[in-house]
């Protein structure tokens, strides 16, 4: 039996938009300011999704204070340039429009700072589809996906059993399970196939077209 959902919680990077150019350019800029040269772009791509502080420490062995300095440098580039080196995946605008017409509640839940997420949505004229946008704070608090979802659910008291989370990384799926929320893992983003399989999402899709058919099926019942 097909489920029916009223609340659709979307990750942003790698799910609705492809931020690869802007994020990797911003990371490269930050590393260069720290006199770190990185020629392997695959290492930079790993920063798409997880909190920046965690990633700078994990992938470059930076201390907490140096990682925070790296984030300041990252923002020097990202705030006015990297943020717009981004593009909406083909088909996403149509999907959001159709869900919106079905009176579904659409939410953004991202580890990216809320202020950046809102600017991106407004730039691409997607902001009108969303009832709520929750991200991290600029002081690096509320940066984990778990903390973000905790905040989202404060605004959705009637969502139990009616919400589904859509994202491209294992962390999206793991957090959804922790809150007893069904999940959709999208295979066109930046999570590897192996990490998504291991996370065991409720549903898995490979393309935006498949995602559209799946979510509209949930909304139209």
């Amino acid at each position: 039996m097909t489920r029916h959902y009223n609340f659709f919680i979307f990750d942003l990077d790698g799910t609705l938009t492809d931020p690869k150019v802007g994020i990797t350019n911003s990371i490269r800029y930050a590393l260069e300011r720290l006199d770190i040269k990185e020629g392997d772009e695959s290492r930079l791509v790993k920063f798409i999704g997880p909190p920046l502080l965690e990633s700078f420490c994990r992938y470059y062995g930076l201390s907490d204070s140096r990682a925070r300095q790296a984030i300041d440098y990252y923002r020097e580039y990202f705030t006015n340039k990297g943020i717009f080196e981004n593009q909406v995946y083909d088909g996403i605008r149509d999907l959001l429009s159709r869900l919106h017409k079905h009176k579904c509640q659409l939410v953004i839940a991202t580890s990216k700072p809320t202020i950046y997420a809102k600017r991106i949505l407004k730039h691409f004229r997607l902001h009108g589809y969303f009832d709520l946008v929750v991200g991290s704070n600029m002081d690096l608090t509320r940066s984990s996906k778990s903390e973000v979802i905790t905040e989202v659910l404060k605004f959705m008291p009637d969502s139990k059993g009616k919400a589904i989370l859509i994202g491209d990384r294992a962390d999206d799926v793991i957090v959804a399970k922790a809150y007893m929320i069904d999940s959709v893992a999208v295979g066109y983003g930046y999570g590897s196939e192996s990490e998504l399989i291991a996370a065991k999402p409720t549903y898995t899709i490979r393309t935006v077209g498949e995602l559209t058919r799946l979510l509209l099926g949930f909304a139209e019942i």
Side-chain angles (χ1 to χ4, degrees), residues 108-114 117 133-137 141-143 148 151:
I108 290 288
T110 175
S111 292
K112 185 184 294 298
T114 304
V133 178
V134 177
S136 61
N137 298 315
T141 57
R142 201 173 69 204
S143 61
V148 170
E151 185 68 15

Side-chain angles (χ1 to χ4, degrees), residues 82-98:
I83 192 171
F84 302 124
E85 294 176 328
N86 194 349
Q87 60 183 348
V88 180
Y89 286 114
D90 289 343
I92 286 296
R93 190 181 306 278
D94 177 64
L95 166 61
L96 297 177
S97 175
R98 294 168 74 179

Side-chain angles (χ1 to χ4, degrees), residues 115-132:
I115 189 172
Y116 289 158
K118 288 183 175 180
R119 284 183 66 197
I120 290 166
L121 293 172
K122 188 171 183 179
H123 175 74
F124 289 117
R125 299 190 299 279
L126 299 178
H127 59 293
Y129 298 126
F130 290 94
D131 301 279
L132 178 67

Side-chain angles (χ1 to χ4, degrees), residues 3-10 15-16 91-107 128-131 162 164-166 184 188 208 210-221:
R3 292 290 306 274
H4 176 64
Y5 303 95
N6 299 107
F7 300 88
F8 294 80
I9 306 169
F10 289 91
T15 301
L16 300 182
I92 286 296
R93 190 181 306 278
D94 177 64
L95 166 61
L96 297 177
S97 175
R98 294 168 74 179
L99 288 174
H100 187 68
K101 287 177 181 177
H102 279 287
K103 309 299 182 184
C104 299
Q105 300 292 301
L106 305 185
V107 176
Y129 298 126
F130 290 94
D131 301 279
K162 302 175 185 177
I164 190 164
L165 189 152
I166 304 98
V184 180
Y188 56 80
V208 175
E210 289 180 16
L211 180 64
T212 298
R213 289 189 290 275
L214 181 69
L215 298 191
L216 288 178
F218 296 149
E220 291 174 350
I221 295 175

Side-chain angles (χ1 to χ4, degrees), residues 1-59:
M1 180 178 178
T2 303
R3 292 290 306 274
H4 176 64
Y5 303 95
N6 299 107
F7 300 88
F8 294 80
I9 306 169
F10 289 91
D11 175 46
L12 181 58
D13 292 344
T15 301
L16 300 182
T17 71
D18 183 352
K20 179 180 177 180
V21 174
I23 289 180
T24 56
N25 281 345
S26 300
I27 296 298
R28 187 178 290 108
Y29 174 87
L31 292 174
E32 288 175 352
R33 290 293 304 270
L34 294 174
D35 294 321
I36 299 172
K37 302 298 181 183
E38 180 56 79
D40 184 356
E41 188 172 89
S42 66
R43 295 193 70 191
L44 305 180
V45 170
K46 292 179 181 179
F47 280 76
I48 301 175
L52 286 175
L53 185 65
E54 171 188 316
S55 295
F56 275 118
C57 293
R58 176 184 297 175
Y59 299 124

